[in-house]
Amino acid sequence: MRKAIAAEAVVRNFQCDISQWTRASPRTPSIALGSRRLFSLNPPLSRRRNNQAFPRSNAARQFLPTSNLLQHRNASTSSDPVNLSRTGLYDLHIARGGKMVPFAGYSMPVQYSDLSVGESHAWTREKASLFDVGHMVQHHVSGPGATALLEKITPSSLSALPSSHSTLSCLLHPATGGIVDDTVITRIGPEAFYIVTNAACRDKDSAYFTEQIEAHKGEGDVVWKVLDNWGLVALQGPLSAPLLNNVLGGSDQVDLRNLYFGQCKQVSLKLPDSATPAPVLVSRAGYTGEDGFELSIPPGMVEKVTEHLLRSGGLDQLRLAGLGARDSLRLEAGMCLYGHDLDDSTTPVEAGLSWVVHKDRRIAGGFHGDGVILQQLRPVKEGGGPPRRRVGLIVDGAPAREGAEVVATTAEIGGEGKVIGKVTSGCPSPTLGKNIAMAYVDSGNHKVGTEVGVVVRGKSRRATVVKMPFVASRYWKQTAGTAPS
């Protein structure tokens, strides 16, 4: 929801055997995860969740091959471990058994010694996990021209975005409407925004912002600042709200029952053994499909805040989680990973993100690539529609990985064996006990229920197009239902 991209060849050629990170030791007992507990803090279940069933599987406790996230780990400014950047939690990761790998120019934990990736995935779905996402790039954009600039480079209606509210959006290339990066934009003042972008797009995004702000001169001053060395942690899972509420100590600064998905609040967090409270921006957000929060923390305070959260939660409720679990969780939630499911050539419409193009922008346009994007939004019968679409797949047999070809199985969808698309992410779903994948397929082959083939290890495996998210999202919202994927 987090990248200086190296040459694409580095990504394609880097093939990593990650089984040493993700295979649970036979000596490690499975964790008995009880049924989901409800707290008085939470409103009735009917308001909190949609009606989609949430089946579970013992696959979460078995060997879990992660998807292509870790194949992308060396897409960074440096693959030399000596030159890798470190978040403010690096020492904590080492002390708590984090297995560190290069990712987006940083040394990041893929998992921890106490849980396998599969167990960590299940723990997040059942209890709560804490993820270090401090490698993500945090920005402030402000000034009299800030709203106009952001409405030029994104398709979002930011002039209508209320204060302390966020929206998922896309930075767009002029003319083509291709996605430079996906981003979350939060209004924190009349002409002030907090923006989070992907770590591996750091250099590309920096050049993009510099260019776009320069081109915007004369239309209102804009001040852009990267929040270097700030911490960012994600508290995710059904126990997140009661755990955070406990850390806030019943503070009247924020009522978490009324802080909904896509909203934020600035709070002062009192820390043990410290006379100085930590000013923390708490956003109800996340990348797992579960209820949760992201905490933006000033330099020098992230380790204290994280330790306080871990001590308050206790090992029976809260654990650290790494990149491995984060990837399988986001895939179950139908969320895109930039560099795989999104890239510079992909438009929001192709990516199934048409909802980021807000209604008034569809009429007035005025954003980068509006000619291409608005045409793709038109009905097919009027000559519109994108040439390809992102879809979810359930794949029989072996799991499909990035790059696997999607082929037609009947003459009706192009002729048996004809290549109609390509997989961009895939892994076994610990929750469903099935192989799931995301792919782009030629338009016309994207309808739910369409049967296709996916070529895995030289053999075409039967696959079915399904609706995403694969696992029902459980964001804390004012109305029932899941966020778009």
Side-chain angles (χ1 to χ4, degrees):
M1 207 252 95
R2 278 161 199 225
K3 299 177 187 174
I5 295 185
E8 186 65 21
V10 174
V11 179
R12 290 176 178 169
N13 293 335
F14 182 76
Q15 298 296 324
C16 177
D17 179 4
I18 59 172
S19 62
Q20 60 179 314
W21 299 327
T22 57
R23 189 181 300 276
S25 166
R27 295 178 301 229
T28 304
S30 296
I31 295 177
L33 298 175
S35 60
R36 197 171 288 270
R37 285 180 278 176
L38 301 180
F39 287 75
S40 58
L41 178 70
N42 296 338
L45 192 62
S46 60
R47 195 177 97 182
R48 181 166 169 256
R49 307 178 187 171
N50 66 8
N51 294 322
Q52 183 172 339
F54 192 75
R56 302 205 170 274
S57 166
N58 286 332
R61 297 165 179 82
Q62 299 170 358
F63 171 53
L64 170 66
T66 62
S67 76
N68 47 16
L69 172 71
L70 294 175
Q71 295 177 17
H72 193 51
R73 66 193 183 109
N74 274 349
S76 61
T77 53
S78 172
S79 60
D80 180 358
V82 175
N83 296 321
L84 291 172
S85 298
R86 297 177 177 181
T87 72
L89 293 178
Y90 178 85
D91 291 340
L92 182 145
H93 297 318
I94 298 299
R96 291 181 174 258
K99 292 192 174 185
M100 311 301 289
V101 299
F103 180 76
Y106 280 78
S107 182
M108 297 295 293
V110 68
Q111 71 175 95
Y112 296 84
S113 57
D114 60 337
L115 297 176
S116 71
V117 172
E119 289 168 336
S120 184
H121 178 113
W123 187 279
T124 309
R125 291 272 184 247
E126 294 285 353
K127 299 190 178 185
S129 294
L130 197 61
F131 299 81
D132 178 11
V133 289
H135 60 302
M136 304 284 286
V137 188
Q138 302 177 71
H139 315 249
H140 279 167
V141 174
S142 61
T147 301
L149 168 70
L150 294 175
E151 287 198 332
K152 178 190 293 184
I153 65 178
T154 77
S156 301
S157 301
L158 297 172
S159 56
L161 185 68
S163 185
S164 300
H165 283 65
S166 304
T167 183
L168 179 65
S169 192
C170 298
L171 305 177
L172 300 173
H173 283 291
T176 67
I179 298 173
V180 178
D181 199 1
D182 57 314
T183 180
V184 176
I185 302 175
T186 304
R187 181 183 289 278
I188 55 175
E191 283 286 354
F193 298 88
Y194 166 68
I195 300 174
V196 180
T197 57
N198 284 298
C201 291
R202 181 183 296 266
D203 287 354
K204 183 176 72 166
D205 290 349
S206 178
Y208 178 83
F209 273 112
T210 300
E211 179 184 359
Q212 295 302 317
I213 291 172
E214 179 65 26
H216 191 69
K217 280 186 175 179
E219 301 180 49
D221 292 340
V222 174
V223 178
W224 166 50
K225 179 182 179 182
V226 176
L227 304 182
D228 286 327
N229 301 316
W230 279 59
L232 190 64
V233 296
L235 177 63
Q236 300 286 294
L239 303 190
S240 296
L243 287 174
L244 182 57
N245 195 58
N246 183 51
V247 169
L248 292 172
S251 168
D252 58 3
Q253 297 179 86
V254 57
D255 182 353
L256 296 182
R257 292 170 298 183
N258 296 319
L259 185 72
Y260 298 106
F261 180 79
Q263 298 180 358
C264 67
K265 179 74 173 179
Q266 188 76 42
V267 303
S268 294
L269 188 62
K270 294 181 180 179
L271 301 173
D273 305 321
S274 176
T276 305
V280 175
L281 181 66
V282 176
S283 302
R284 200 141 201 173
Y287 194 49
T288 64
E290 293 291 335
D291 183 26
F293 305 86
E294 292 189 352
L295 281 62
S296 177
I297 306 163
M301 291 187 166
V302 63
E303 187 167 357
K304 290 181 180 179
V305 171
T306 301
E307 288 280 18
H308 185 35
L309 285 166
L310 291 170
R311 283 195 299 267
S312 298
L315 288 175
D316 61 329
Q317 297 184 95
L318 179 63
R319 299 287 183 97
L320 289 167
L323 295 172
R326 188 166 179 259
D327 192 40
S328 55
L329 288 161
R330 70 92 191 169
L331 184 50
E332 286 189 343
M335 294 182 175
C336 297
L337 175 64
Y338 195 90
H340 298 271
D341 313 303
L342 303 173
D343 61 24
D344 295 291
S345 69
T346 309
T347 69
V349 184
E350 291 174 322
L353 302 175
S354 297
W355 50 272
V356 306
V357 187
H358 294 164
K359 290 183 179 179
D360 61 317
R361 310 305 306 277
R362 298 185 183 202
I363 298 171
F367 54 88
H368 285 345
D370 56 357
V372 174
I373 291 171
L374 295 181
Q375 176 64 24
Q376 290 183 350
L377 285 170
R378 293 171 60 84
V380 173
K381 63 183 179 181
E382 297 179 11
R388 58 178 181 156
R389 296 177 187 265
R390 180 172 65 97
V391 299
L393 297 173
I394 298 291
V395 184
D396 291 351
R401 302 298 189 184
E402 179 182 13
E405 291 181 338
V406 182
V407 298
T409 55
T410 65
E412 183 179 340
I413 62 171
E416 188 172 354
K418 178 184 177 182
V419 177
I420 58 171
K422 187 169 289 188
V423 170
T424 55
S425 289
C427 76
S429 164
T431 303
L432 302 177
K434 300 177 181 179
N435 296 319
I436 61 175
M438 287 196 290
Y440 281 85
V441 298
D442 296 341
S443 286
N445 303 308
H446 63 284
K447 295 180 180 178
V448 171
T450 300
E451 291 195 357
V452 297
V454 177
V455 180
V456 180
R457 300 172 188 167
K459 180 180 179 181
S460 180
R461 313 277 180 170
R462 187 174 66 178
T464 305
V465 175
V466 297
K467 186 178 180 180
M468 293 186 286
F470 298 98
V471 172
S473 301
R474 292 186 283 192
Y475 305 123
W476 186 265
K477 300 177 119 182
Q478 288 177 285
T479 56
T482 64
S485 62

